[in-house]
Amino acid sequence: MKYILGMNLSGFDLNLLRVLDALLRDESTVKAGERVGLSQPAVSSSLNRLRASLGDPLFVRKGQRIVPTDYAKSLEVPLRQALDGLEALLAGPRKFDPSAAQQSFKISGSDSYAELLMPALARHLMAEAPGVKAQLVEPVARDHIATLEKFGVDMVLLPKAQQFPAWLDSAPAFESRFVIVARQGHPRLLRNRMTPGDTIPMDLFCDLGHAVFSPEGNLKAMTDAALAQMGRERNVVVTLSTMGGVCSVVIDSDLVGILPEPLAQRMAPRLGLDIYRAPVPLGPGRIFLIWHKRNAANAAHTWFRNLVLDVLRPLGRVEQS
């Protein structure tokens, strides 16, 4: 831990490094001061010392925030890991005791986790960690991963649509196919002699009105890409920003919707929905739990994310990677 990206730590006051870490986290001299117990002038003075020692501006002003330079950003993860290692070394062996903990964790994910995760998670917390709070928050539109850096979120649940940045750690949570849901007694499905569990024929599937889950309001989704490869197109009538909204529209109309199978199986008996198969491949999609590497060795964070994974993995087994 003597060097971080070639930076010799031996000549640095540990408090200076803690100030730099806080500034990288909060991008505010006021908030960083609150984090490390220093006044705003003291933080500014420490920042000036760091700038002089490192030969880099480290942060530049952007409105009400200070934004890290590329060099400062390159220090964030190794600096956090080094400080975690030093704190663990100085503190000696320490275990996390969930029964005595007073802490909260924010999870970013779609509203489907209000059904698939939060009820079981709440039961575990009440029984094992009554002082621990879990908060499910909406993802940031178009950049779900950004919540881990800028919005105080501890972990994110989302599909792996691309390679995750190097500053993230991840673990597969579960796999799920997608299915079609329609209200019981749907007239067109009855006329076509469809029964729950059947595969809806392609012509009927494309002609039915669809309610589409899209937080950004996109008229095209994963299903439409699969249809386009076959030269087909479906009839999208409405888009909804929540999966609960899709269910609400489907139970009160002749539209159909596409949901993850575990959610559909949970909601169908409660809402009077029938489940059908699509004539195009819809999964399985793999959902990952993602967190910032700065929390990788944090005992409380490790305990909580393992609890989240224990709740979600039975929804659809995946090979660990």
Side-chain angles (χ1 to χ4, degrees):
M1 290 183 290
K2 185 178 179 182
Y3 291 90
I4 294 179
L5 297 181
M7 182 177 77
N8 188 339
L9 299 184
S10 59
F12 279 85
D13 182 337
L14 183 58
N15 288 329
L16 279 182
L17 298 178
R18 287 180 173 142
V19 168
L20 178 57
D21 175 61
L23 288 168
L24 287 165
R25 291 188 187 214
D26 298 314
E27 296 187 0
S28 161
T29 54
V30 174
K31 291 182 179 178
E34 293 172 353
R35 184 183 291 274
V36 297
L38 294 175
S39 66
Q40 189 271 340
V43 171
S44 295
S45 175
S46 296
L47 177 56
N48 288 333
R49 291 172 60 193
L50 285 162
R51 284 168 168 164
S53 298
L54 296 174
D56 187 88
L58 298 178
F59 296 88
V60 294
R61 177 67 58 183
K62 185 177 181 181
Q64 299 299 312
R65 297 166 49 219
I66 55 171
V67 179
T69 64
D70 288 345
Y71 174 65
K73 289 188 73 172
S74 74
L75 298 176
E76 181 176 12
V77 171
L79 175 60
R80 179 69 259 156
Q81 291 173 336
L83 287 174
D84 284 345
L86 284 170
E87 289 169 3
L89 181 66
L90 296 174
R94 181 174 55 184
K95 293 183 178 179
F96 174 69
D97 180 4
S99 66
Q102 297 290 325
Q103 198 162 346
S104 63
F105 295 93
K106 283 186 180 179
I107 310 162
S108 173
S110 73
D111 67 305
S112 65
Y113 298 108
E115 289 288 336
L116 299 178
L117 170 64
M118 299 306 284
L121 188 59
R123 290 193 295 271
H124 280 288
L125 293 179
M126 289 293 290
E128 302 170 29
V132 174
K133 318 297 182 189
Q135 300 166 268
L136 178 65
V137 300
E138 291 184 0
V140 174
R142 302 185 186 280
D143 194 356
H144 299 185
I145 288 175
T147 59
L148 289 166
E149 283 198 294
K150 308 302 179 190
F151 298 95
V153 167
D154 294 287
M155 53 201 75
V156 179
L157 285 160
L158 79 169
K160 189 171 185 177
Q162 58 186 17
Q163 201 67 26
F164 295 135
W167 52 270
L168 293 179
D169 276 342
S170 65
F174 68 100
E175 283 185 352
S176 171
R177 293 189 302 174
F178 291 83
V179 295
I180 303 168
V181 291
R183 68 181 178 92
Q184 291 178 356
H186 189 290
R188 290 197 64 187
L189 295 175
L190 286 178
R191 285 200 302 271
N192 283 270
R193 299 182 179 180
M194 304 296 301
T195 58
D198 287 350
T199 298
I200 298 177
M202 179 64 78
D203 288 343
L204 179 57
F205 176 77
C206 291
D207 196 48
L208 287 168
H210 287 252
V212 173
F213 167 67
S214 174
E216 295 85 15
N218 297 326
L219 292 170
K220 302 289 186 182
M222 169 189 64
T223 305
D224 301 283
L227 286 170
Q229 291 180 349
M230 306 170 71
R232 304 299 298 262
E233 186 176 0
R234 62 176 170 162
N235 177 24
V236 175
V237 178
V238 297
T239 71
L240 289 306
S241 61
T242 65
M243 293 189 189
V246 171
C247 292
S248 295
V249 169
V250 167
I251 60 177
D252 281 331
S253 73
D254 288 338
L255 301 186
V256 298
I258 292 175
L259 297 177
E261 189 170 26
L263 180 63
Q265 290 175 340
R266 186 165 301 198
M267 301 301 288
R270 188 186 309 171
L271 299 179
L273 298 173
D274 285 332
I275 298 174
Y276 299 87
R277 305 296 174 189
V280 290
L282 297 179
R286 178 175 280 199
I287 304 299
F288 281 77
L289 183 68
I290 302 156
W291 60 93
H292 202 295
K293 280 187 175 178
R294 66 182 171 224
N295 292 317
N298 182 289
H301 196 281
T302 301
W303 173 84
F304 186 81
R305 66 179 182 253
N306 285 338
L307 179 58
V308 170
L309 291 169
D310 286 344
V311 171
L312 291 176
R313 279 177 176 152
L315 297 177
R317 294 292 180 183
V318 295
E319 292 183 5
Q320 303 309 299
S321 60

